Amino acid sequence: MGIFPDLLLLGHLIVVTYGHPILEAPESVTGPWKGDVNIPCTYGPLQGYTQVLVKWLVHRDLDPVTIFLHDSSGDHIQQAKYRGRLQVNHKVPGDVSLQLNTLEMDDRSHYTCEVTWQTPNGNQVVKDKIIELRVQKLSVSKPTVTTGSGYGFTVPQGMRISLQCQAWGSPPISYVWYKEQTDNQEPIKVAVLSTLLFKPAVVADSGSYFCTAKGRVGSEQRSNIVKFVVKGKGLPIFSIILIISLCCMVVFIMVYVMLCRKTSQQENIYEVARAHAREASDSDETWRVAIFTSGCSSEEPSSQTPDNDYSDNPCLGQEHQIIAQISGDYARLLNTVPPDHELLTTKDKSAC
């Protein structure tokens, strides 16, 4: 009977010993001088265990000093030296990592991450981890170039896009952007910032670019050359079809108007000719042209046939010229003379 209670007690001790959250952290972390560093400290949340207290301590001389405290009332920075450059993560459950910005050389030390939980039976459990922080003056690394969009380095014209140059090392780090030139000419400086912004990008911005980075320590570093291409926007296919259709319509309307005007003029001339021909045919009238020329008169009647253009009489020469002029004017008016209608020209026997 005494063995069974002992087994129950042993089982309870095993659960208490191995059932608590496990705190995990690296032994050491190295941060850049004048830069930022993240000191990891995490644990896996367990059902029934509630986090009630988080502490970060730094070892000064022999005794550790609390620099950060988080409880039910919120965050509390215990040392003025760390105010404005220290924060602890609370966004992810089980992550209590310390973020320390603008590292100084005297920040080198051993830091302790300490977490307290309340167990399901109301007791408290405390776990801690010690991490060594090293601060080094780091030379700047080779910079990398990325884009601020999902298009990569080939983008459509009119888009707002940026090329970003990033390097690691002890700050401050200064950046310069260059654009390669043709014919082995020296690259031209286009910006002195880490971000090269195009707002908006145009076809003329296309070319080969690279950036340089210079840190507090070490020599200047240069990135790889990237080819940046800006493609011009072409017209959509339906716009091209619409433009072609409108051009064809305009040409068709112009041709149609010209043909209609020409047809109308021809019909008017044809109607005039038909009207004159009809009147002449119905009345069977003979055209008579009397020619009177000043200073030319004759008692003798003289007849001149239309087929003979030669005459010794000067009056007849002038008479023939006037008849020819009248005939030409009439022909231009009618355009054509009906083949079945003949004009008879007679001269008054009393003239010339």
Side-chain angles (χ1 to χ4, degrees):
M1 295 295 294
I3 298 177
F4 184 72
D6 292 339
L7 291 176
L8 290 178
L9 179 61
L10 179 61
H12 177 72
L13 292 175
I14 294 175
V15 171
V16 171
T17 303
Y18 296 99
H20 299 321
I22 299 175
L23 202 60
E24 296 182 351
E27 291 184 359
S28 64
V29 174
T30 301
W33 177 49
K34 297 297 183 181
D36 304 334
V37 68
N38 183 74
I39 306 177
C41 185
T42 59
Y43 66 89
L46 291 180
Q47 185 175 2
Y49 284 77
T50 304
Q51 175 186 300
V52 294
L53 185 63
V54 175
K55 281 184 180 182
W56 275 93
L57 305 92
V58 61
H59 295 260
R60 300 293 184 190
D61 298 327
L62 297 177
D63 297 328
V65 177
T66 302
I67 60 175
F68 176 84
L69 175 66
H70 174 77
D71 55 15
S72 58
S73 61
D75 293 346
H76 307 280
I77 297 177
Q78 304 293 319
Q79 295 285 325
K81 175 183 177 180
Y82 297 98
R83 289 176 183 172
R85 63 189 189 99
L86 183 153
Q87 59 184 357
V88 174
N89 186 24
H90 301 297
K91 295 181 180 179
V92 180
D95 186 359
V96 292
S97 301
L98 174 67
Q99 177 75 25
L100 188 57
N101 301 328
T102 318
L103 288 177
E104 299 291 345
M105 297 303 295
D106 61 356
D107 287 330
R108 294 177 296 180
S109 185
H110 288 79
Y111 291 77
T112 299
C113 173
E114 181 183 297
V115 181
T116 303
W117 298 273
Q118 183 175 349
T119 63
N121 58 9
N123 297 326
Q124 289 190 348
V125 177
V126 180
K127 295 286 184 178
D128 60 34
K129 280 286 184 179
I130 299 176
I131 308 102
E132 181 185 3
L133 174 61
R134 300 170 181 173
V135 180
Q136 293 181 353
K137 294 181 179 181
L138 301 178
S139 300
V140 68
S141 65
K142 181 178 180 178
T144 59
V145 178
T146 58
T147 60
S149 72
Y151 285 90
F153 295 100
T154 301
V155 299
Q157 181 177 356
M159 181 178 180
R160 180 187 176 96
I161 191 172
S162 62
L163 300 182
Q164 299 172 352
C165 183
Q166 187 174 12
W168 289 265
S170 294
I173 300 176
S174 58
Y175 298 92
V176 180
W177 277 97
Y178 295 90
K179 184 177 182 181
E180 290 280 353
Q181 299 298 299
T182 57
D183 301 331
N184 295 325
Q185 297 180 4
E186 289 293 326
I188 59 173
K189 184 187 296 185
V190 293
V192 291
L193 299 173
S194 61
T195 301
L196 179 60
L197 182 61
F198 302 94
K199 51 175 187 178
V202 296
V203 176
D205 293 328
S206 299
S208 297
Y209 294 84
F210 68 90
C211 68
T212 61
K214 180 70 171 65
R216 183 184 295 268
V217 180
S219 59
E220 182 180 78
Q221 298 294 322
R222 171 174 167 169
S223 72
N224 294 330
I225 295 177
V226 295
K227 188 175 182 180
F228 182 64
V229 179
V230 181
K231 290 186 176 181
K233 291 183 178 180
L235 290 175
I237 186 64
F238 66 89
S239 299
I240 298 176
I241 295 175
L242 179 61
I243 292 174
I244 295 176
S245 302
L246 291 175
C247 292
C248 293
M249 186 179 299
V250 171
V251 173
F252 175 78
I253 293 174
M254 292 178 63
V255 173
Y256 178 77
V257 170
M258 293 175 65
L259 290 176
C260 288
R261 292 182 61 184
K262 185 175 181 181
T263 303
S264 176
Q265 292 176 356
Q266 291 178 350
E267 290 179 353
N268 291 337
I269 294 174
Y270 180 69
E271 290 296 333
V272 172
R274 289 184 58 186
H276 282 282
R278 189 179 300 110
E279 291 176 1
S281 176
D282 293 342
S283 62
D284 194 20
E285 182 179 1
T286 301
W287 289 80
R288 297 178 179 274
V289 180
I291 306 303
F292 300 93
T293 57
S294 59
C296 182
S297 176
S298 175
E299 296 179 357
E300 296 293 333
S302 61
S303 62
Q304 178 69 27
T305 61
D307 296 332
N308 188 5
D309 294 336
Y310 302 95
S311 174
D312 294 333
N313 193 340
C315 273
L316 294 179
Q318 295 179 2
E319 183 180 24
H320 176 69
Q321 292 176 2
I322 296 175
I323 292 174
Q325 181 177 356
I326 295 175
S327 299
D329 294 338
Y330 182 72
R332 283 195 299 271
L333 177 64
L334 296 182
N335 232 4
T336 56
V337 178
D340 56 345
H341 184 73
E342 182 179 2
L343 298 179
L344 300 177
T345 306
T346 61
K347 294 180 290 184
D348 194 352
K349 293 182 180 181
S350 61
C352 293

